[in-house]
Structure formats: C-alpha cells, structure tokens
Amino acid sequence: MTSIILGYDIGVMSGASIFIKDDLKLSDVQLEILMGILNIYSLIGSGAAGRTSDWIGRRFTIVLAGAFFFCGALLMGFATNYPFIMVGRFVAGIGVGYAMMIAPVYTAEVAPASSRGFLSSFPEIFINIGILLGYVSNYFFSKLPEHLGWRFMLGVGAVPSVFLAIGVLAMPESPRWLVLQGRLGDAFKVLDKTSNTKEEAISRLNDIKRAAGIPADMTDDVIVVPNKKSAGKGVWKDLLVRPTPSVRHILIACLGVHFAQQASGIDAVVLYSPTIFSRAGLKSKNDQLLATVAVGVVKTLFIVVGTCVVDRFGRRALLLTSMGGMFLSLTALGTSLTVIDRNPGQTLKWAIGLAVTTVMTFVATFSIGAGPVTWVYCSEIFPVRLRAQGASLGVMLNRLMSGIIGMTFLSLSKGLTIGGAFLLFAGVAAAAWVFFFTFLPETRGMPLEEMESLFGSYTANKKKNSVSKDNEVVNEQ
C-alpha cells in the first residue's frame, strides 16, 4: 500500500503537469522544478528513516510515511497557486523518502531466505501499479474542466493512506528490530509465523542474535542487549568513517546500483512520457496520455516477470541483462528522436514507430532487472546493525539522482536536443553494465547474516571475497 501511494504520487504528475502548467501559468523551469523537487524533498525522509526506524520500529515508520502521504495529497489537491502546491509536494516528498527506505528493509527482514528476493521485489511491483494508476487517473480526470481535473488527480492520492493506517495493525514488527531491542520472545513469535518449520525459526533467531552480538546463552523472552547500538549510535562511524573492507565494498556496491538505476534516465520517461511522445510525433493530448498509459502497463507487466525470476536466475544476471537491454533501447530511442528532430516538416512513420517502441522496450528491460533488483540487492547486503542506515544512504542517492534528472530533463533536452539526452543516458547504461559485471557478487539464497562474507575484495568473485573476509577475521584476532 505504501508503494502504491508512492508510485501514484510519481506517476500522476506526468499527466497532471500538462494541466497544472496551463491553469497556474507556469514556465518550463517552474514546471521541471515542480516535477523533480519531490525527490529532493524526499532526501529529508530518507535521511531520517534509518534513525526513525531504529527508534520506533519498522512498522510505525510505515505509518508515519502514510501520514505524510495523506497530508501531502490533500495540500496539493487544494492548492491555489505555485507556492501552495510546492508545500504539498514538500510534505509528500518526506513521505516518499520514508517509504522508499522502509518498505524493502522491512520486507527483507521479515522474509525467509528462500523467498526473500521475490518478496523484496513487491515494493517495486506496487510502485509500478501506483504509477499505472496515476496514468489512468490522468486519462479519466482529464475529461473534467482544466481547473478541477488536476486537483482530483492529486487529491485522490490521500485515499489509500487511510487503508494503510488500518492495515498496519495486522502487520508484525521486524524480528531483527525486536532482537536489537532485546525482545527475543516477540521476535521468535514473528519468526515462527514466517518460517516453514519451528526448527527454521530457531535457526533464524540464532543467526540474528549472532549477527547482533548477543551471546547464544541469553535466551530469556526479554533481555538487556549488550553494547546496544540499535538507536544508531556508532553506526555511521562503522559505515562511513572506519568501515571494514567488506562494509566498504557493500556501501560502494549499494551506491553504485542506486546511481545507475536513476542516472540511466528512467524518471525522464516516467515523468515526461507525454512530452517525449509529443516530440516523437503524437500531437493530441489524448494520444499522448494513452501512450503513457501503455508505458505504465508494460512497466508493470515486466516488473512482475522480473520479480518471479529474481530467485531463480539471481540478482547479478538480471541486472546485467536489464542494463544491456536498456543501453540498446536508449541508443535506438536517441537515434530515432534525433532523426525526427532534423526533419521537422516530414512525418517519418518508421522513426515515430521506433521511438514509441523503444520507449516501451526501455521500460520493459528496466523493469525485469534494474527496477526491482536494486531494492532487493541493497536491502539484503548490509550487516543487520548497519542495514537501516546503509539502505537509507542508497535511497538518498537514488532520490537525489531522480530529482536531478526530473528537474533538468527539459533543459537538458533543449541543450543537447532530446535525442542527445537519451544518447547520454545510453552512455551511463553502458558504464553501469561494466560496473555490475566487475563489482557485484551474486547474493541469491544467502542468509542475511552471512551476506558480508561475499564482499571485501572489490570484485564480483565470491572466492576472493571469502578469502578476504577470512583474512579480515584473522587480522582482527
């Protein structure tokens, strides 16, 4: 539900912006700031989410995100001018930051290893369902008078937040967070419900205790955690100031994957689909919005495909396949848009068809790998004590890049031409493929508590990383 609200907030602006620009008489610069600023504002939520979730728990952090979404949607729906709508965007942006960090972390911590990849992809699936609902909302509410249509598009986003607040009552708390609070009895109850057997639940509890530095002989339902650092004390030093080789490798891998996901241009397509289709030769607003709905459908269908195969084929294989397909699609899209730009008086049906098709193949290839796997990979590779803050750093970089792309795409497409902008994104995708190939080890099927052993040599080679980890332990001793 959190992810649907998040996706709706992102997707609905794609079509609503056409009407907001006309109704509020905005310039191109004001419009691109409005489009992209949500992600810059979300940095506040992302930065605070790690500490907040360690303090009040993963579950109530989700409630907090829902409250921000509710208030933000109402403020945007009732906005009467540009500053008013920017205030609503600010409040919703904080909710976006909280949601993008907490949803994958919570899922990874509740799920058993055998289905963690599948379940951790759920946020990405539902983000895309939300984006699709935003596009559909654009299409239907566009039939209303201009000054009402966009307000309904934005205001309807408040409704799911109410269901989120009710639904959270049925959700268990993260067992790993409960262990860090010394609540072993409550943690075991959750693990017992989310494991196939009682033996598996006991094994998972012991693994979490070991990773949290709790002695095996401490078995009471409630204990005092030795050297408790669950509120974030000392975590930033261990993560940024004096990281071990394994933690440094994990941090670089997480930041690199998040950077590549956004810098390859997905939000340019998600936010500006109607503009791209207009430049490609689709002239009516109705056709542009229909084509944008098609983008949402393709994106959602292929996210489901990626989610279903992430535990079968692995994270690394899907990331490489995805980024390779994105590179080819972006190259073809940039080339076709350049050809259309250089022949302004002609209707080049083959180029228009290629541009529309490659937008679809781009979102399809993004959705089988780079979309869902980024969140799966980065939510599972950090050690338990560093996971909330480590994941929040990845989300902050993700939202920063998304905001930069959203706030500069119109200017970039004027400076480089729209075709040149997509060729630039193609260059980023090529560099990202090389980074993934050389740097990211496969994590499929590994228990969270053993994940650190895959990292440390700054390569994708598991054996080298394992040897590095052994040497690290010897050196510490």
Side-chain angles (χ1 to χ4, degrees), residues 177-222:
W177 182 80
L178 291 170
V179 168
L180 289 172
Q181 306 310 303
R183 294 163 57 184
L184 303 187
D186 290 338
F188 180 75
K189 288 176 187 175
V190 177
L191 290 168
D192 196 27
K193 289 179 181 177
T194 58
S195 302
N196 294 319
T197 64
K198 193 170 286 291
E199 290 72 25
E200 183 188 347
I202 293 169
S203 174
R204 287 174 68 189
L205 179 61
N206 289 335
D207 287 343
I208 297 167
K209 285 169 61 180
R210 185 168 63 251
I214 296 173
D217 57 359
M218 296 181 76
T219 57
D220 294 341
D221 283 355
V222 179

Side-chain angles (χ1 to χ4, degrees), residues 19 139-150 152-153:
F19 306 101
Y139 182 71
F140 284 106
F141 286 125
S142 67
K143 315 299 180 191
L144 293 175
E146 185 176 76
H147 69 286
L148 287 178
W150 67 264
F152 274 98
M153 293 174 194

Side-chain angles (χ1 to χ4, degrees), residues 396-425:
M396 287 173 71
L397 179 61
N398 187 289
R399 294 298 86 200
L400 176 64
M401 291 311 303
S402 177
I404 290 171
I405 298 295
M407 291 171 67
T408 59
F409 179 71
L410 293 179
S411 301
L412 189 67
S413 61
K414 283 181 181 175
L416 295 179
T417 74
I418 193 164
F422 282 106
L423 290 173
L424 176 64
F425 294 146

Side-chain angles (χ1 to χ4, degrees), residues 86-414:
M86 287 291 278
V87 171
R89 207 75 173 136
F90 172 74
V91 175
I94 295 175
V96 166
Y98 270 105
M100 293 201 84
M101 176 266 165
I102 198 61
V105 166
Y106 174 82
T107 310
E109 293 190 341
V110 170
S114 59
S115 55
R116 190 176 61 242
F118 175 69
L119 294 173
S120 294
S121 299
F122 269 29
E124 188 67 18
I125 287 180
F126 288 106
I127 285 172
N128 280 276
I129 290 173
I131 289 172
L132 177 57
L133 290 173
Y135 290 162
V136 171
S137 166
N138 290 156
Y139 182 71
F140 284 106
F141 286 125
S142 67
K143 315 299 180 191
L144 293 175
E146 185 176 76
H147 69 286
L148 287 178
W150 67 264
R151 297 178 195 282
F152 274 98
M153 293 174 194
L154 300 179
V156 163
V159 176
S161 306
V162 179
F163 293 104
L164 175 65
I166 297 168
V168 81
L169 300 175
M171 290 164 50
E173 183 51 86
S174 159
R176 287 170 173 82
W177 182 80
L178 291 170
V179 168
L180 289 172
Q181 306 310 303
R183 294 163 57 184
L184 303 187
D186 290 338
F188 180 75
K189 288 176 187 175
V190 177
L191 290 168
D192 196 27
K193 289 179 181 177
T194 58
S195 302
N196 294 319
T197 64
K198 193 170 286 291
E199 290 72 25
E200 183 188 347
I202 293 169
S203 174
R204 287 174 68 189
L205 179 61
N206 289 335
D207 287 343
I208 297 167
K209 285 169 61 180
R210 185 168 63 251
I214 296 173
D217 57 359
M218 296 181 76
T219 57
D220 294 341
D221 283 355
V222 179
I223 63 168
V224 176
V225 179
N227 302 318
K228 182 178 174 183
K229 295 182 180 180
S230 63
K233 297 171 185 173
V235 167
W236 291 114
K237 186 168 75 173
D238 293 348
L239 194 60
L240 299 173
V241 182
R242 294 181 189 166
T244 63
S246 296
V247 170
R248 189 181 293 114
H249 185 179
I250 288 168
L251 183 62
I252 294 170
C254 174
L255 295 179
V257 173
H258 274 295
F259 176 86
Q261 189 204 49
Q262 290 299 331
S264 52
I266 187 61
D267 270 17
V269 173
V270 170
L271 290 173
Y272 294 103
S273 288
T275 304
I276 295 165
F277 289 130
S278 170
R279 299 289 291 274
L282 301 181
K283 296 305 178 188
S284 82
K285 284 183 180 177
N286 196 61
D287 288 347
Q288 293 163 19
L289 290 176
L290 273 176
T292 300
V293 170
V295 169
V297 171
V298 169
K299 200 166 184 290
T300 303
L301 288 176
F302 278 87
I303 281 283
V304 174
V305 172
T307 299
C308 291
V309 299
V310 68
D311 283 319
R312 182 181 303 174
F313 296 114
R315 287 59 159 152
R316 178 180 157 85
L318 285 183
L319 282 171
L320 290 171
T321 303
S322 172
M323 201 54 71
M326 288 163 63
F327 166 72
L328 295 174
S329 299
L330 287 165
T331 303
L333 176 59
T335 303
S336 61
L337 289 171
T338 300
V339 170
I340 292 167
D341 250 3
R342 291 184 178 179
N343 296 274
Q346 302 176 43
T347 303
L348 301 172
K349 289 188 178 179
W350 69 267
I352 294 170
L354 182 61
V356 173
T357 302
T358 49
V359 168
M360 303 299 173
T361 59
F362 171 64
V363 297
T365 50
F366 172 87
S367 297
I368 61 168
V373 177
T374 296
W375 304 103
V376 174
Y377 198 81
C378 295
S379 65
E380 67 186 7
I381 58 178
F382 285 98
V384 62
R385 201 172 69 80
L386 309 179
R387 187 170 299 127
Q389 281 84 353
S392 71
L393 279 179
V395 174
M396 287 173 71
L397 179 61
N398 187 289
R399 294 298 86 200
L400 176 64
M401 291 311 303
S402 177
I404 290 171
I405 298 295
M407 291 171 67
T408 59
F409 179 71
L410 293 179
S411 301
L412 189 67
S413 61
K414 283 181 181 175

Side-chain angles (χ1 to χ4, degrees), residues 61-107:
T61 303
I62 293 171
V63 176
L64 189 61
F68 278 114
F69 281 134
F70 181 81
C71 296
L74 288 183
L75 286 168
M76 288 189 289
F78 286 108
T80 53
N81 52 42
Y82 187 66
F84 197 154
I85 200 171
M86 287 291 278
V87 171
R89 207 75 173 136
F90 172 74
V91 175
I94 295 175
V96 166
Y98 270 105
M100 293 201 84
M101 176 266 165
I102 198 61
V105 166
Y106 174 82
T107 310

